[in-house]
Amino acid sequence: MASGSVTTKDFTEENKRFFNEHAAGYELRIAHTTLMQTVGEEILASRDWSGVAWDENSTRMLDYACGTGLVSRVLAPYTKQLIGMDISEGMVEQFNQKVDNQGIHSEEMRAIVANLCADEEDLVVSGSEYYDFDVAISTFAFHHFNNVPLAIKRVVERLKQKTGVLLIVDFRTHKPIQFGHHEHHHHQHHHKEHDNTQSKLMNPHDGAHTVTHSGFSEEEITRWYEEAGLVDVEIVDVGPGTGITIVGGGPNTGEESELQRSVFMAKGRRA
């Protein structure tokens, strides 16, 4: 957990700086892109469970902390409109560049720079077009947030009443990764069936200082969902076997470690 002396603004600025710095090369990590592709496919495979129509003629989707749009691009064909939001200008630029390269109109799919957890409402997303979403998703982002209950509440406010669904994919509670006595770690996600060689060929970056939560328990997520006004809350496992494998190297020694991480998907419908 984060120290109480560090403010939400501090974490927001540090996350923004870090992800801006790594935006251009974010999708060069093959194992990470494979993981996110699989997560998108698992979301679609859970259509009946989630209660989301995933209809290209009607479904409006919000991808909060969308990054470069790896998951969004899997889900986009099943939506009428898809809007990504991220605090990182670099990530949003990459998202929109890839959308433009695919010849998709911005009215159908785009990302904007926005922070739903700011003290005051971000005027950029105050318009009606940024409300009444049929589904909002956030994948592997909430463990970077300083105030998770607030983030959930703010996203839920953007959902359509009675039918809008929030889907979060993130890690279950785990021990923080530590390499020797170093404060930070490099990390890399990939599905367990992939050979570790892929991860070793990449250039993992040190992002431990942007992580504020070592995963979440079902009790926490359920409580925060219900406090935000969500009903029909359910949580299921994501990934084969024991879940996701993280492979990383220490920042100075290059020491490598392989750890299993259980991943969940949580759903809730706005009451």
Side-chain angles (χ1 to χ4, degrees):
M1 299 292 289
S3 167
S5 63
V6 181
T7 68
T8 298
K9 183 177 180 180
D10 291 335
F11 271 111
T12 300
E13 291 303 315
E14 180 57 27
N15 271 282
K16 182 189 295 188
R17 182 203 64 76
F18 175 78
F19 286 105
N20 277 338
E21 183 179 327
H22 292 281
Y26 192 72
E27 294 193 18
L28 297 178
R29 297 180 293 145
I30 300 171
H32 181 62
T33 60
T34 300
L35 168 64
M36 300 304 268
Q37 170 84 21
T38 301
V39 167
E41 291 170 355
E42 292 228 15
I43 290 173
L44 289 175
S46 303
R47 176 194 304 233
D48 292 341
W49 171 80
S50 69
V52 180
W54 295 115
D55 185 338
E56 63 179 321
N57 296 312
S58 62
T59 301
R60 297 183 63 244
M61 176 185 135
L62 166 64
D63 185 350
Y64 190 58
C66 61
T68 58
L70 284 166
V71 176
S72 277
R73 294 201 296 277
V74 177
L75 302 176
Y78 306 90
T79 67
K80 178 181 180 180
Q81 183 186 54
L82 193 159
I83 294 177
M85 295 182 187
D86 203 288
I87 63 171
S88 164
E89 297 90 348
M91 290 291 188
V92 167
E93 182 180 358
Q94 290 291 318
F95 184 114
N96 288 328
Q97 186 178 81
K98 295 177 192 305
V99 170
D100 187 56
N101 289 344
Q102 291 183 320
I104 301 173
H105 195 281
S106 62
E107 279 303 304
E108 296 179 20
M109 184 177 183
R110 67 181 183 277
I112 59 172
V113 179
N115 177 14
L116 295 185
C117 296
D119 292 336
E120 297 181 6
E121 182 181 29
D122 193 331
L123 295 179
V124 173
V125 289
S126 61
S128 59
E129 68 269 33
Y130 299 116
Y131 285 87
D132 291 329
F133 289 98
D134 296 290
V135 57
I137 71 164
S138 192
T139 54
F140 298 114
F142 273 62
H143 63 269
H144 292 286
F145 295 169
N146 192 39
N147 190 337
V148 174
L150 177 62
I152 292 174
K153 179 177 180 292
R154 293 284 175 81
V155 174
V156 168
E157 291 170 352
R158 304 278 164 167
L159 291 172
K160 188 177 292 183
Q161 290 188 337
K162 305 298 183 184
T163 58
V165 172
L166 172 62
L167 298 174
I168 293 177
V169 177
D170 216 309
F171 298 111
R172 291 184 182 273
T173 305
H174 60 83
K175 293 181 179 179
I177 300 173
Q178 293 182 342
F179 294 94
H181 300 290
H182 297 296
E183 180 181 356
H184 303 323
H185 69 273
H186 295 286
H187 68 279
Q188 189 67 41
H189 306 297
H190 74 286
H191 253 292
K192 63 180 292 186
E193 66 263 28
H194 286 273
D195 191 287
N196 291 348
T197 306
Q198 279 192 331
S199 295
K200 293 174 184 177
L201 290 174
M202 281 175 273
N203 298 309
H205 53 261
D206 184 351
H209 57 297
T210 69
V211 174
T212 58
H213 299 269
S214 297
F216 305 98
S217 69
E218 288 198 13
E219 291 76 18
E220 286 176 315
I221 294 297
T222 300
R223 182 173 72 253
W224 294 334
Y225 263 45
E226 292 176 347
E227 288 174 351
L230 293 172
V231 296
D232 300 334
V233 179
E234 288 187 47
I235 299 172
V236 295
D237 290 324
V238 173
T242 52
I244 305 302
T245 302
I246 296 178
V247 177
N252 297 318
T253 65
E255 173 192 357
E256 290 192 348
S257 179
E258 182 173 314
L259 300 168
Q260 293 293 319
R261 286 286 173 263
S262 294
V263 174
F264 70 85
M265 177 160 52
K267 74 160 183 178
R269 177 176 58 82
R270 185 174 181 183

